[in-house]
Amino acid sequence: MSDLRSQLAAAFGQPAPEDPAAASAPSGAGPSILDDDAHLDTEWLTVLHRLRAELPGAPEMAARPKLAQARMVSDRVVKMLKKAGRKRDARQLAGLRDDFLARRDKAAWAAVKLRFQTLGLSARAYRSLKQVGADPQAVLARLDRTPEEDLRGMGAARLRELLG
């Protein structure tokens, strides 16, 4: 696709546009939302710590919790807040959690798509993975573990079985 862009730009006397896949690649200018500790410096965890401190009997949580623990504690705190009649705080916490997780999933799907384009895999296989509701972080991890030669020779159905 970038070759077609370059050819069209040359035909019309324009400089070749920057490849959008290369532009969206991480430049190393800071932590990625896909990092294991990306959730630690978010507003979600700040609010979670504050609300936990305000609630008697709130679940314990490590100072630097893993993402799974933060989700679990957040779910429990939301339930406790609703039960205590603090529905606004519960909605705020749930919204912050959901926003972070949605951005993380979106970034993971973008990385999977970029990897598919880099490897020359079909867009059909990528779309079928998204349609079956596969976990994007798990798909990305499986993509990284599988040798490139094996991935290039697979059809869409085999890719979906392997990665989904």
Side-chain angles (χ1 to χ4, degrees):
M1 182 70 97
S2 63
D3 290 340
L4 179 60
R5 282 192 194 112
S6 299
Q7 291 171 4
L8 287 171
F12 291 105
Q14 300 283 329
E18 185 178 326
D19 186 15
S24 66
S27 62
S32 167
I33 194 167
L34 297 175
D35 291 343
D36 290 338
D37 293 338
H39 63 286
L40 295 177
D41 295 328
T42 61
E43 185 182 359
W44 165 41
L45 242 57
T46 304
V47 170
L48 178 60
H49 284 300
R50 179 180 55 82
L51 291 173
R52 267 188 54 254
E54 294 173 4
L55 280 175
E60 292 295 320
M61 187 169 71
R64 296 179 54 85
K66 301 271 186 203
L67 180 61
Q69 184 188 26
R71 287 177 73 173
M72 181 187 69
V73 170
S74 184
D75 292 343
R76 290 182 59 200
V77 168
V78 165
K79 284 182 183 180
M80 291 175 75
L81 287 167
K82 285 180 181 178
K83 192 173 185 177
R86 297 175 60 184
K87 293 181 180 170
R88 180 179 298 181
D89 289 333
R91 273 194 312 270
Q92 178 192 19
L93 182 60
L96 291 170
R97 177 200 57 214
D98 294 344
D99 288 346
F100 173 78
L101 295 175
R103 283 182 304 163
R104 184 176 168 91
D105 284 350
K106 187 173 181 175
W109 279 122
V112 168
K113 186 174 186 176
L114 181 62
R115 185 76 195 267
F116 266 58
Q117 290 173 345
T118 304
L119 293 172
L121 302 175
S122 75
R124 179 176 172 232
Y126 168 76
R127 286 191 309 271
S128 72
L129 270 175
K130 278 190 84 168
Q131 287 175 349
V132 297
D135 177 30
Q137 284 86 20
V139 170
L140 191 57
R142 287 184 198 113
L143 264 175
D144 291 339
R145 285 192 312 257
T146 309
E148 291 181 12
E149 307 83 44
D150 294 346
L151 291 170
R152 285 194 178 113
M154 288 186 193
R158 283 201 55 217
L159 273 171
R160 187 177 57 242
E161 285 176 24
L162 174 72
L163 300 174

